[in-house]
Amino acid sequence: MSDETPQSVGRRRRIRWSSPTVRISLTVLALISATALVFLSPLALRAFGPSGPGSDRDWQRVGNIAQAYGAASALIAGLALVGVGASLFLQARESKANREQGVRTAHTELIRMAMTDPDLMACWGRLDGDASVTARRQHLYLNLVLSHWETMFELGTLPEEHLRQGADSVFGTEPGQAFWAVSGEARRLASGTRRGRLFHELVDERYRAAVRVRREG
């Protein structure tokens, strides 16, 4: 007897129907069907066209209608191709976002494991000289925080003003400044998107401001 519940079966079906492969297949099938209808339309006109005496004039009228219909069909086919291209572009972008999210989730889990196990934490190497276990845990935790902020900023759910406020709070502490001094440049170079680069520019700006305040104080 299966252990699947109706909810799990329904969820599995929704996932299957919403997968990029299924959507691409349905889009291609719809395009093929539309193209077939366009090519079969002359046969339909011939089957239902006039016959008998005086039909030549009527056939000329049908031909004019067919030409007008052909122009409309070409326009529809062009729009369909544009729609298919846009659909493929959006699906490719969605697939890329899903892969990036999977990588970030795996990275987060690795850091969480290291934070709770000193033996695993040692595998990450020395952070800054003879950093203590506490300093290493703080470094890993701040890495999670900044990564979370970066994701929110790229998604547009973290406004620039809130990011600046959060960065001022973090870099107002010694662990925060120590973290960015070690990791800031590497994180900036790893930015692969325009929003990601803007994120690190804003954060680095607040870090430098915090360092100036600390030196002047």
Side-chain angles (χ1 to χ4, degrees):
M1 184 176 180
S2 175
D3 294 333
E4 288 187 322
T5 63
Q7 291 81 3
S8 64
V9 173
R11 182 164 54 253
R12 180 162 50 82
R13 288 176 178 174
R14 286 195 299 271
I15 294 173
R16 183 169 63 248
W17 280 103
S18 63
S19 65
T21 302
V22 172
R23 285 185 291 181
I24 291 175
S25 300
L26 292 176
T27 303
V28 172
L29 179 61
L31 178 61
I32 293 175
S33 300
T35 304
L37 289 175
V38 171
F39 280 107
L40 290 175
S41 59
L43 297 179
L45 289 173
R46 182 180 181 84
F48 294 101
S51 60
S55 61
D56 291 341
R57 185 168 55 254
D58 293 333
W59 269 114
Q60 183 178 2
R61 178 172 177 272
V62 171
N64 294 333
I65 296 175
Q67 289 180 1
Y69 176 73
S73 299
L75 178 60
I76 293 174
L79 293 176
L81 288 175
V82 172
V84 171
S87 177
L88 293 176
F89 172 77
L90 293 175
Q91 290 170 5
R93 188 170 66 176
E94 178 184 356
S95 178
K96 181 176 181 293
N98 290 335
R99 290 196 302 269
E100 291 178 350
Q101 183 59 39
V103 171
R104 290 176 179 175
T105 300
H107 179 252
T108 299
E109 184 59 26
L110 290 173
I111 291 180
R112 290 186 185 278
M113 292 170 63
M115 290 176 62
T116 57
D117 189 334
D119 293 334
L120 296 179
M121 189 183 301
C123 298
W124 289 74
R126 291 187 173 185
L127 302 176
D128 185 12
D130 296 324
S132 63
V133 173
T134 299
R136 293 188 182 199
R137 293 182 65 184
Q138 290 172 341
H139 181 97
L140 295 176
Y141 174 74
L142 287 169
N143 188 44
L144 286 179
V145 171
L146 268 295
S147 296
H148 178 60
W149 287 356
E150 182 179 359
T151 300
M152 293 176 61
F153 187 80
E154 289 186 348
L155 293 175
T157 58
L158 180 63
E160 290 187 14
E161 184 59 30
H162 291 178
L163 174 60
R164 290 189 178 94
Q165 292 175 1
D168 287 342
S169 179
V170 167
F171 296 139
T173 66
E174 184 176 346
Q177 293 187 15
F179 167 78
W180 197 254
V182 173
S183 303
E185 183 66 14
R187 290 182 63 97
R188 185 185 65 80
L189 293 176
S191 300
T193 65
R194 183 184 62 83
R195 292 285 293 179
R197 290 188 290 271
L198 176 59
F199 170 85
H200 287 93
E201 288 176 4
L202 294 173
V203 172
D204 190 66
E205 172 191 310
R206 303 319 305 161
Y207 163 74
R208 295 182 183 278
V211 170
R212 286 195 300 269
V213 169
R214 183 178 181 182
R215 289 175 179 174
E216 293 173 359

